[in-house]
Amino acid sequence: MTTLSTHVLDAAQGTPRADLEVVLTRGADGAELERVRTDADGRARFAGDLDGGHHALTFATATAFHPVVRVDVTVDASEAHHHVALLLSPFAYTTYKGS
């Protein structure tokens, strides 16, 4: 079983981004797997067990410059969990694989 979670922070404000929609899709065919919203701490966990391979997370950031941020990742099915962090600022964003 391989799971996925995310954490979104507003780097300019130093606060979590609550109630942000995140859509998980399968890379091979673009099929939507799950749609979640971040909690008050800016965190969300996808309930499904993921297959290995290419997937994408699309964050509806609703900012003027980056209204949508798409992060493509490769899921290694031999790892139990993957975590994708997203740091937002007014004109840039950074993402990394967390633990």
Side-chain angles (χ1 to χ4, degrees), residues 61-94:
T61 58
T63 64
F65 194 69
H66 293 291
V68 174
V69 172
R70 179 181 158 131
V71 178
D72 291 85
V73 298
T74 300
V75 171
D76 180 349
S78 69
E79 294 182 35
H81 183 70
H82 293 274
H83 182 77
V84 178
L86 177 65
L87 306 175
L88 297 171
S89 64
F91 300 106
Y93 62 88
T94 300

Side-chain angles (χ1 to χ4, degrees), residues 3-49:
T3 59
L4 179 68
S5 62
T6 190
H7 190 194
V8 184
L9 297 168
D10 182 327
Q13 300 295 319
T15 58
R17 283 292 302 266
D19 200 35
L20 188 86
E21 183 178 72
V22 187
V23 179
L24 174 64
T25 55
R26 185 172 44 230
D29 60 8
E32 183 175 316
L33 300 177
E34 194 170 350
R35 185 178 294 255
V36 298
R37 296 193 87 74
T38 56
D39 63 14
D41 193 34
R43 297 179 184 273
R45 180 177 287 272
F46 295 93
D49 178 18

